[in-house]
Amino acid sequence: MSCIPLPEPEGVNGLANKIGKKGSRAPKIRNARNVRKRPVRGGRKTFGKEVENPRPPLDPWSAPYVSVIIPVMNERKTLRKVIQEAFRVHPHTEVIVVVNGSTDGSLEIARRSGAKVLVYDRPLGHDIGRSIGAREAIGNILLFIDADMVIPAGKLRAFVDAVAQGTDVALNDYSGPVNKPVVHGVVLAKHALNSLLGRSDLQGASMTAIPHAISRNALSVIGASSLSVPPLAHTVAIHEGLKVKRIIPVNVGMLNPIRAKRERTNSLEPLIVGDHLEAIQWWIRKSDSRGGYEDGARQRWMVR
């Protein structure tokens, strides 16, 4: 399985160097527990060549039990409420906000919230924030949500509880609208992939949709990089025998704001369908040219 290299964040709120005007950074923090070297990129000057690892010490009495990961790009209107609900999921929760390419004040809201904030001045692309947040998370359970959908903590807690009780990947029991004359390509792709994987019981549930939660063990099996392509992560989880289940329905189709302009000029449908094709290709490489399905009694050699 190929790995996707992940970029380094420019800063972590309150823990690593904060970004100021013109990309300037505060001096490095001394007495760091773990320090990792970072190359200077693009000719931009820094005040130090080392940046403190933002991860707090793994003290069993203080380490978070749940890590909630929230990628953000220009979600000022909903971000504060989304973070508030995230902190209510469990008494020992860390909230990791991956702010990328935001210009609407989302960064300031995130920094005031008490969350751990990873900052990128450019957009990272679809779902890359999930991988980056997962790489920095230290909780036993990782919960993934989006910054543009306010979901009550009570519903989010159901996914955390499912993982706490032994599920490796707890999925939103949402299959998308199927009783329509024309079904959306992403909905079809989710159903088709689950059928190919021998998990028709999942219907259209997928790691593409939030909210979903995974165990620390699932993260180690799937790998943080694969989370950038959710159908691939989903496929790896099933291939490796992890316990993948639908939990409760959260109708993200109703919650997701309509972005008519984006859909006209830069629809996500081709990208997400392509993600599913990538997952299918990975599955075939791990089995055979037919994905493990029999060819019946065909005598193909007769017509070659």
Side-chain angles (χ1 to χ4, degrees):
M1 177 177 63
S2 59
C3 293
I4 305 170
L6 300 179
E8 291 291 335
E10 292 188 354
V12 179
N13 187 35
L15 292 167
N17 295 338
K18 295 181 180 180
I19 295 179
K21 294 181 179 179
K22 298 182 181 179
S24 62
R25 294 178 174 86
K28 62 184 180 181
I29 299 173
R30 301 293 179 180
N31 301 321
R33 177 176 177 269
N34 285 318
V35 177
R36 49 186 180 181
K37 293 185 178 181
R38 177 189 299 167
V40 179
R41 298 178 179 175
R44 298 172 66 182
K45 295 181 179 179
T46 64
F47 290 103
K49 293 184 179 179
E50 296 179 346
V51 176
E52 183 189 11
N53 188 329
R55 300 181 185 182
L58 295 175
D59 183 343
W61 297 102
S62 62
Y65 183 66
V66 179
S67 298
V68 184
I69 294 138
I70 312 173
V72 177
M73 191 176 79
N74 294 332
E75 303 295 352
R76 176 178 56 84
K77 294 181 179 180
T78 52
L79 181 58
R80 182 179 60 83
K81 291 183 179 180
V82 169
I83 294 174
Q84 286 177 346
E85 294 300 321
F87 271 119
R88 293 176 54 211
V89 167
H90 189 274
H92 301 287
T93 296
E94 69 168 350
V95 177
I96 301 174
V97 180
V98 185
V99 182
N100 64 108
S102 284
T103 58
D104 69 341
S106 294
L107 175 58
E108 289 70 25
I109 293 171
R111 281 177 166 163
R112 291 195 302 265
S113 71
K116 180 187 294 185
V117 182
L118 309 180
V119 184
Y120 297 82
D121 58 1
R122 298 177 182 178
L124 297 173
H126 204 56
D127 295 322
I128 296 293
R130 293 186 188 182
S131 290
I132 291 174
R135 187 180 61 183
E136 296 296 329
I138 61 174
N140 292 330
I141 298 170
L142 283 68
L143 174 67
F144 298 88
I145 59 178
D146 284 347
D148 59 352
M149 293 184 236
V150 181
I151 301 172
K155 288 189 175 182
L156 297 176
R157 205 172 292 125
F159 298 90
V160 171
D161 291 345
V163 175
Q165 293 166 13
T167 298
D168 288 304
V169 180
L171 299 175
N172 182 359
D173 187 8
Y174 175 75
S175 293
V178 294
N179 297 319
K180 299 175 66 175
V182 178
V183 178
H184 195 276
V186 171
V187 175
L188 291 172
K190 291 176 180 179
H191 282 80
L193 179 61
N194 283 333
S195 179
L196 169 66
L197 301 178
R199 291 298 307 271
S200 296
D201 59 297
L202 294 176
Q203 299 180 14
S206 166
M207 290 180 71
T208 298
I210 58 92
H212 63 265
I214 66 174
S215 65
R216 173 61 55 177
N217 176 60
L219 177 63
S220 67
V221 171
I222 296 169
S225 294
S226 293
L227 296 173
S228 296
V229 184
L232 175 60
H234 181 89
T235 300
V236 174
I238 292 173
H239 180 271
E240 296 301 322
L242 296 180
K243 191 173 183 180
V244 181
K245 292 181 61 177
R246 294 182 293 157
I247 307 304
I248 64 169
V250 177
N251 192 337
V252 292
M254 296 292 293
L255 292 173
N256 199 8
I258 297 174
R259 304 177 191 267
K261 182 178 179 180
R262 186 192 71 184
E263 288 303 306
R264 286 196 303 269
T265 60
N266 189 27
S267 173
L268 289 176
E269 182 178 358
L271 183 146
I272 299 174
V273 170
D275 287 351
H276 285 77
L277 292 173
E278 182 177 341
I280 291 170
Q281 183 184 45
W282 184 91
W283 178 268
I284 289 173
R285 288 203 308 266
K286 292 293 180 178
S287 53
D288 56 39
S289 62
R290 293 178 58 82
Y293 285 82
E294 295 181 358
D295 196 23
R298 291 192 185 120
Q299 303 295 314
R300 295 194 184 206
W301 62 272
M302 294 287 292
V303 291
R304 288 178 181 168

